[in-house]
Amino acid sequence: MAFDVTVQHDLKKLKRQLSDLETKVAPQATIRTLNRVAESAKVASARHIAPQMNSRQAAVKRRIETQRATFKRLWATLVARDRALQLIEFVVGSRKPTQQPGGKRGLVKAKVYGKTRTLSKAFIAPRRSGSSKTTVYMRTSPKRKPLKLLYGPGIMQLFRQKENDQVMQAKVRERFPIEFARNLLFYINRYKRP
């Protein structure tokens, strides 16, 4: 006994679904993957650079800009800004205002690239009146104002180093297949829903 089954109709539907997956799901999954992997590489770079400078990772991450992938631009780019980090990121010990009882100001110590310096004329104060965020200032004249905001080094030189590039490349190779599989599954499940 022989059976003849025609699957012409289902084949057309399958072709249409595969075409939809290729044109809608794959690009969305790719873009999301590229952006997430770029963020992972940014974190890995900050984790590599910060200890070398004696800075905090959050400060280094703020100096690395992510140019996100889009449908028209299928790549994500990390760009280090040339602006120097504020000196408060390198302060050793408390980052609270240095005003002490009796009107005296405590000394400010900053550790940059493993070397500690004491800044006798510098002081830590809030950025704005009532703000909890502080920064390091120095007076530019014997008068109360104007104040000069003090900066440390920038991250550009360390960002361009070969070791940092290798750290970022390794993170991309590690995260890309994981993120792509995860995002592809996410968009396929979303596509299946009515």
Side-chain angles (χ1 to χ4, degrees):
M1 189 189 253
F3 288 101
D4 238 356
V5 180
T6 306
V7 289
Q8 183 77 25
H9 177 72
D10 290 342
L11 210 59
K12 285 180 182 177
K13 185 179 177 185
L14 181 64
K15 275 185 179 178
R16 196 169 55 248
Q17 286 177 337
L18 287 173
S19 176
D20 284 350
L21 286 176
E22 186 180 345
T23 57
K24 294 176 183 173
V25 173
Q28 286 179 321
T30 303
I31 290 164
R32 189 173 182 181
T33 299
L34 289 170
N35 291 329
R36 287 193 171 184
V37 170
E39 287 301 315
S40 295
K42 178 178 174 176
V43 170
S45 178
R47 195 174 291 148
H48 176 74
I49 292 171
Q52 294 178 51
M53 299 176 73
N54 296 103
S55 177
R56 295 182 311 141
Q57 289 180 30
V60 174
K61 272 198 291 192
R62 283 194 297 270
R63 291 294 187 263
I64 302 172
E65 181 186 329
T66 307
Q67 295 174 350
R68 297 173 66 81
T70 62
F71 284 106
K72 291 182 180 179
R73 202 179 75 116
L74 285 175
W75 66 87
T77 311
L78 294 178
V79 180
R81 288 197 225 134
D82 209 17
R83 265 182 44 219
L85 296 169
Q86 290 187 5
L87 196 63
I88 193 73
E89 303 298 340
F90 303 97
V91 168
V92 177
S94 175
R95 291 185 173 91
K96 292 181 180 175
T98 52
Q99 187 75 34
Q100 294 177 347
K104 295 181 182 177
R105 294 202 177 267
L107 296 175
V108 176
K109 289 184 180 181
K111 188 174 184 180
V112 181
Y113 293 115
K115 294 179 182 175
T116 305
R117 282 180 30 207
T118 302
L119 306 162
S120 58
K121 294 186 179 181
F123 61 94
I124 299 173
R127 290 185 190 175
R128 280 179 223 93
S129 181
S131 173
S132 62
K133 293 185 177 181
T134 58
T135 194
V136 181
Y137 294 102
M138 186 178 279
R139 298 201 191 286
T140 57
S141 70
K143 296 179 182 175
R144 186 168 168 76
K145 288 193 176 176
L147 300 175
K148 179 183 176 186
L149 181 62
L150 298 181
Y151 290 91
I155 66 163
M156 186 64 80
Q157 185 180 359
L158 292 172
F159 186 80
R160 288 181 176 170
Q161 282 182 344
K162 190 176 180 180
E163 295 84 28
N164 187 52
D165 184 49
Q166 290 170 347
V167 165
M168 290 191 294
Q169 295 289 343
K171 184 54 78 172
V172 168
R173 282 192 299 275
E174 174 196 332
R175 294 302 307 164
F176 191 85
I178 297 166
E179 287 291 340
F180 187 71
R182 190 178 289 163
N183 291 320
L184 195 59
L185 186 63
F186 171 78
Y187 282 110
I188 287 171
N189 288 336
R190 204 168 164 192
Y191 176 74
K192 282 181 188 174
R193 280 187 231 134

